[in-house]
């Protein structure tokens, strides 16, 4: 099925360990996003890539880095994991960034549940 | 600051009931999205609205731009509708592609 694929689905890390969350989409979308979801809060944007070759910080970028490897893939890296990064991470994609009145739907992955102990 | 507010936070209904979930926002928007998230699951896009009303099966979404308010209705609710429903808006003047999300409404439909 076409969509957004995230790996892994679950991960437990020790404080200070590093890891990369992978995301790939097969819809030829230009824009990709990483969000985190925490209890009692709405999803918050970590980083986004409006188009291949560009990345920008979102609302909560500290402690994370991203790579837009090609049009399909957008990875999120935690260099030194902290307990505050325990969360559910969602990757999403859209046809474009949506500027002004131009809007596009979003397709989300199934999420990665990350626990940092 | 809560730019997107949803009500109620939690909702329990009996199978067959008509359900309404509300979303109010404070920013100028170019579009509003309704999303569904099943327990432990991913997020599925239900609707994207910029005006008026949309219908898909038993789901109806409406938006009133002047009042900055949207509603999601579920007719003839079923236990499989149990999920968290999330409202998100695309801020007209916001950074590229960023959505502002509400905290979600947790719906439980009892058989």
């Amino acid at each position: 099925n076409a969509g957004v694929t995230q790996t892994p689905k679950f991960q437990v890390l020790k404080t200070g360990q590093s890891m990369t969350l992978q995301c790939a989409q097969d819809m030829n979308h230009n824009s990709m996003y990483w969000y985190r979801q925490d209890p009692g809060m709405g999803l918050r944007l970590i980083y986004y890539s409006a188009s291949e070759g560009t990345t920008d910080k979102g609302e909560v970028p500290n402690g994370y880095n991203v790579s837009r490897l090609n049009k399909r893939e957008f990875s999120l890296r935690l260099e030194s994991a902290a307990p505050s990064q325990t969360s559910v991470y969602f990757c999403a994609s859209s046809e474009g960034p949506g500027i002004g009145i131009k809007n596009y739907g979003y397709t989300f992955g199934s999420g990665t549940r990350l626990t940092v102990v | 600051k809560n730019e997107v507010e949803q009500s109620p936070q939690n909702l329990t209904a009996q199978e067959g009931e008509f359900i309404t979930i509300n979303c109010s926002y404070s920013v100028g928007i170019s579009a509003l999205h309704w999303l569904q998230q099943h327990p432990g699951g991913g997020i599925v896009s239900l609707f994207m609205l910029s005006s008026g009303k949309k219908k898909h099966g038993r789901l109806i979404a409406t938006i009133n731009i002047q009042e900055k308010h949207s509603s999601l209705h579920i007719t003839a609710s079923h236990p499989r509708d149990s999920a968290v429903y999330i409202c998100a808006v695309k801020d007209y003047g916001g950074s590229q592609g960023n959505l502002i999300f509400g905290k979600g409404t947790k719906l439980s439909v009892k058989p």
Side-chain angles (χ1 to χ4, degrees):
Chain A
N1 292 333
V4 176
T5 302
Q6 286 184 238
T7 55
K9 293 192 182 304
F10 301 93
Q11 185 71 49
V12 178
L13 289 178
K14 294 183 178 179
T15 298
Q17 286 185 317
S18 63
M19 78 161 295
T20 299
L21 280 63
Q22 307 286 354
C23 175
Q25 52 90 9
D26 58 5
M27 296 167 287
N28 201 36
H29 283 173
N30 290 301
S31 300
M32 298 184 74
Y33 314 87
W34 276 106
Y35 293 94
R36 61 178 288 171
Q37 185 179 42
D38 299 296
M41 303 184 74
L43 277 81
R44 293 180 293 169
L45 183 66
I46 305 170
Y47 271 93
Y48 66 98
S49 172
S51 60
E52 185 180 359
T54 69
T55 60
D56 285 286
K57 295 179 180 179
E59 183 185 352
V60 288
N62 290 346
Y64 306 95
N65 285 300
V66 290
S67 295
R68 184 74 183 265
L69 303 169
N70 47 55
K71 194 171 185 179
R72 289 187 65 247
E73 299 172 285
F74 187 40
S75 63
L76 178 71
R77 182 160 179 85
L78 287 71
E79 290 290 352
S80 179
S84 61
Q85 294 178 305
T86 293
S87 187
V88 181
Y89 292 84
F90 287 96
C91 178
S93 70
S94 65
E95 188 177 336
I99 300 172
I101 62 171
K102 192 75 170 175
N103 292 289
Y104 300 98
Y106 287 66
T107 302
F108 289 81
S110 58
T112 296
R113 292 186 172 274
L114 175 66
T115 302
V116 183
V117 297
Chain B
K1 58 176 183 181
N2 292 319
E3 293 163 308
V4 180
E5 296 273 7
Q6 290 186 235
S7 63
Q9 288 185 320
N10 294 282
L11 180 57
T12 300
Q14 289 297 128
E15 184 173 354
E17 286 185 356
F18 180 84
I19 289 163
T20 296
I21 299 170
N22 296 299
C23 176
S24 297
Y25 53 90
S26 58
V27 296
I29 70 167
S30 55
L32 182 143
H33 299 254
W34 281 104
L35 311 168
Q36 179 192 56
Q37 183 177 21
H38 282 286
I43 297 170
V44 174
S45 180
L46 298 175
F47 296 103
M48 181 176 70
L49 294 163
S50 55
S51 65
K53 176 180 175 179
K54 287 190 175 180
K55 184 176 188 290
H56 184 256
R58 296 180 293 104
L59 300 177
I60 303 166
T62 64
I63 188 168
N64 184 317
I65 296 293
Q66 287 73 29
E67 294 186 2
K68 296 187 174 179
H69 181 270
S70 176
S71 293
L72 177 68
H73 305 286
I74 304 175
T75 62
S77 60
H78 189 276
R80 65 175 175 267
D81 297 325
S82 298
V84 175
Y85 292 84
I86 301 169
C87 172
V89 301
K90 173 70 169 64
D91 183 347
Y92 186 88
S95 60
Q96 294 182 23
N98 193 17
L99 297 177
I100 305 171
F101 293 82
K103 295 179 181 180
T105 295
K106 185 175 182 180
L107 171 65
S108 177
V109 181
K110 306 293 185 187

